[in-house]
Amino acid sequence: MDIKHKIQFGCNADELAMKVLSGKKTATSSLYDYHYNEYKDIIKVNEFASILDSHNKEICIIQITKIEIVKFESITEKFSIEEGDVSLENWKRIHTEYYSSILKKIGLKLTGETRLLCEWFTVVVPKTQE
């Protein structure tokens, strides 16, 4: 298994990593322009990634099953729940603040047209081999 990517969730890394392990989080999103501007590598379908906690400890290994580029304004209730949130309203509140802060650092602003890289995954190795 070739693990090319490491994912550490920006907000509440430990809580979100545990949601991945429990199956409550089966998707994630990130800023497409952040990837496109070469600040971060873009993961591809069937590739593997390590999910890290806030201490950079590997919690599990996932495999990407699907990727879509979606406008911020087009995120659905279904996706927000797949991403481990309780509602679309809550997802938008959290992600508006988070993505705005990242985009500001590279001279961009969050709008409804902002593209997100949405990734769906499955856990293939539930916990790190000690």
Side-chain angles (χ1 to χ4, degrees):
M1 183 178 324
D2 184 20
I3 302 169
K4 297 180 179 181
H5 305 275
K6 295 181 181 195
I7 298 172
Q8 186 177 54
F9 302 112
C11 297
N12 302 316
D14 296 333
E15 178 186 338
L16 294 174
M18 290 297 113
K19 283 186 176 187
V20 170
L21 269 180
S22 71
K24 292 179 182 174
K25 180 174 176 62
T26 59
T28 193
S29 63
S30 56
L31 292 163
Y32 179 78
D33 286 332
Y34 195 74
H35 292 282
Y36 184 77
N37 288 320
E38 298 179 25
Y39 294 100
K40 199 171 175 188
D41 290 335
I42 294 180
I43 198 166
K44 296 174 180 63
V45 172
N46 293 323
E47 286 187 334
F48 298 96
S50 294
I51 299 293
L52 306 177
D53 68 10
S54 62
H55 303 288
N56 293 320
K57 180 182 175 199
E58 185 177 83
I59 299 299
C60 62
I61 298 170
I62 60 166
Q63 184 173 22
I64 302 300
T65 58
K66 178 180 166 185
I67 296 174
E68 288 182 7
I69 297 170
V70 180
K71 291 179 185 177
F72 187 84
E73 67 187 7
S74 298
I75 293 295
T76 63
E77 182 87 20
K78 181 178 185 281
F79 180 79
S80 68
I81 292 168
E82 291 169 332
E83 197 167 357
D85 215 318
V86 295
S87 69
L88 179 58
E89 181 181 324
N90 192 59
W91 183 95
K92 283 190 175 183
R93 182 183 55 76
I94 292 167
H95 287 80
T96 295
E97 181 180 327
Y98 179 66
Y99 288 149
S100 292
S101 69
I102 293 173
L103 287 169
K104 185 177 181 180
K105 293 175 186 176
I106 59 172
L108 299 172
K109 289 188 176 188
L110 181 68
T111 70
E113 297 292 310
T114 299
R115 295 174 296 172
L116 302 180
L117 187 65
C118 297
E119 306 160 29
W120 288 262
F121 53 80
T122 57
V123 174
V124 292
V125 179
K127 56 185 170 183
T128 306
Q129 306 297 324
E130 298 285 335

